[in-house]
Amino acid sequence: MSSPPTAPPLTTAHRRRPAWAGRNYTLLTGAAVVTNLGSHGALIASAFAVLEAGGSGGDVGLVAAARTLPLVLFLLIGGALADRMPRHRVMVAANALNCVSQAAFAVLVLTGQPQLWQMMLLTALCGTGQAFFNPAAEGMLLASVSAEHANRAFALFRMAMNGAGIGGAALGGAMIAAIGPGWVLAVDAAAFAVAGAMRAFLDVGHVADRAPGGGLLADLREGWVEFRTRPWLWSIVLQFSVVVAVVGAAEAVYGPLVARDQLGGPAPWGLALGFFGIGTIAGAVLMMVWKPRRLLLVGTLCVFPLALPSAGLAVPLPVWGLCAVMFVSGTAIEVFGVNWMTTMHQEIPEEKFSRVSAYDWFGSVSMLPLATAVAGPVESALGRTSALWGCAALVVLGTAAVLFVPDVRRMTRKPAPPKAAGLPAAAAPAPAAESSGVSPG
């Protein structure tokens, strides 16, 4: 009798990859690493491209607003499309748009004296790509892991993504100082091209065809019902509409100005942003092993430290002190981020996730274009120091207000669902959304 066939030996890559980290999760994580390497440096580069072209702090704010305004305008449409179309196709198309817009921005900076309107237009195209990418990407990521491994998967994903941000910010700041912002923008364009190619290989054969809905407006209404009937969801999104706006103004406008005037240029600011990234890695490592029972209470308490960078810039702290507060805030926001994604994973039905995610993104960034656009005039009216202290105060007040919402204090982690008979955990059907012991609103 012949011996039974033996299974082929596992490759080194398979042995090193956790059993729950399948093909899609690995590709999504790798692509996120590539894009973050480019984009963190590019955010600094765009600000210094404006300053090197003779622009003011107000002009830096206008370019930052041009990036976020289309993000606000198109997010809801992007979320609805991502729940109707194959999400990976939406992601690849958005990456292609980002690649083209950043490449044109790089050529503009490298070959001549860019005009403000040109930089605003190209930055707006990049923001448009992000509006369609973000809801699709979150839906794709959450569909790639089971509830049992969600906490660890999200922590590892964010650790890899933010780890790339450390290198991107630090390397971007150094490259700007050495060879100028144009080459950093070119690197970002190449990163989008590579990431888009990786996402084109996502395996969607197991994804069931989506049932046709009643049209785009009907899909948006369904998403709105899911959003507004969950007090924990809309209250935290409202909180982040304030937090994201003031933190964005501080980091996109005031940070580069403080760095230029008082810290010695772009390299120290890039270093401080790098320490924020190190903090996010520390937070992700913590969340790999820590599973707090009260997801949103712990997460919300960790938003308070986001006031520290604005306060540090207002003083201003020396570079080492600014790096320290950026590290603390990075650690804290990562704890919030993992708890938030875990809550969304357990509470929102998968087939509606991109639409709900779009409302989340829309609310969170809705005030960012206004905040970055008026950052310059506010600085002129109140002074940079007062403006930065105001940013810190708004973070504290907005976060404290959310703690009065009962659902935020009471939301608890659900136990992992039992494995279906004969199926591995990753293949077990996901449970329907439940109330988690809190009022559904």
Side-chain angles (χ1 to χ4, degrees), residues 58-85:
D59 292 335
V60 173
L62 288 174
V63 172
R67 178 187 298 273
T68 53
L69 182 59
L71 188 62
V72 173
L73 293 177
F74 295 114
L75 264 172
L76 297 183
I77 297 175
L81 287 178
D83 275 341
R84 295 174 67 87
M85 299 174 60

Side-chain angles (χ1 to χ4, degrees), residues 19-20 143-149 419 423-429:
W20 48 262
S144 71
V145 294
S146 65
E148 180 183 1
H149 301 290
K419 297 180 182 180
L423 292 177

Side-chain angles (χ1 to χ4, degrees), residues 93-103 125-130 133 188-189 192:
N95 284 168
L97 178 59
N98 288 143
C99 174
V100 171
S101 61
Q102 289 296 79
L125 289 175
C126 192
T128 301
Q130 288 301 109
F133 176 86
D188 190 36
F192 276 118

